[in-house]
Amino acid sequence: QVQLVESGGGLVQPGGSLRLSCAVSGSIFSTYANYWYRQAPGKMREFIAGITRGGTTNYADSVRGRFTISRDNAKNIVYLQMNSLKPEDTAVYYCKLTMATLSAWGQGTQVTVSS
């Protein structure tokens, strides 16, 4: 079984930065892609960033140029570097792993951007 654990969330002022981590463990055979999603209160969960097994990245328009997704293959950790944070970035951030036979989600980490 696969487990994903997010960390690094917290309270930050507008314009600040945070780096989220997603530690992946368990029976990992073939990872197709890793993703970050977020969900604000009363809103739908939305795609933020993705990275394929080959390293190709994709971003939502709302975060492109401010957020960077990366992966440490040796440690099996996926990162989301968030710069120039805005109050509208406030949400619970979730890590997702897609493999050939299944998808797995983490429990999420809270990010609050406020002065």
Side-chain angles (χ1 to χ4, degrees), residues 37-46 90-94 110:
Y37 285 72
R38 70 186 182 189
Q39 187 168 23
K43 297 184 178 180
M44 299 288 292
R45 188 172 298 184
E46 63 174 334
T90 297
V92 177
Y93 284 72
Y94 298 90
Q110 176 72 48

Side-chain angles (χ1 to χ4, degrees), residues 8-111:
L11 175 64
V12 64
Q13 293 187 346
S17 298
L18 284 174
R19 189 176 76 162
L20 305 182
S21 299
C22 174
V24 183
S25 62
S27 301
I28 306 170
F29 299 101
S30 58
T31 300
Y32 286 163
N34 296 101
Y35 309 91
W36 285 98
Y37 285 72
R38 70 186 182 189
Q39 187 168 23
K43 297 184 178 180
M44 299 288 292
R45 188 172 298 184
E46 63 174 334
F47 165 83
I48 296 301
I51 183 169
T52 70
R53 64 180 183 271
T56 301
T57 59
N58 188 35
Y59 299 93
D61 291 341
S62 59
V63 306
R64 186 176 292 108
R66 300 188 298 120
F67 291 10
T68 303
I69 186 172
S70 62
R71 183 199 303 117
D72 185 329
N73 291 312
K75 297 182 178 180
N76 235 335
I77 300 176
V78 183
Y79 300 99
L80 184 68
Q81 178 66 47
M82 305 184 295
N83 298 325
S84 302
L85 284 162
K86 306 174 181 179
E88 49 263 44
D89 295 319
T90 297
V92 177
Y93 284 72
Y94 298 90
C95 182
K96 178 185 178 182
L97 165 68
T98 299
M99 301 191 296
T101 59
L102 62 86
S103 296
W105 292 86
Q107 293 298 308
T109 184
Q110 176 72 48
V111 173

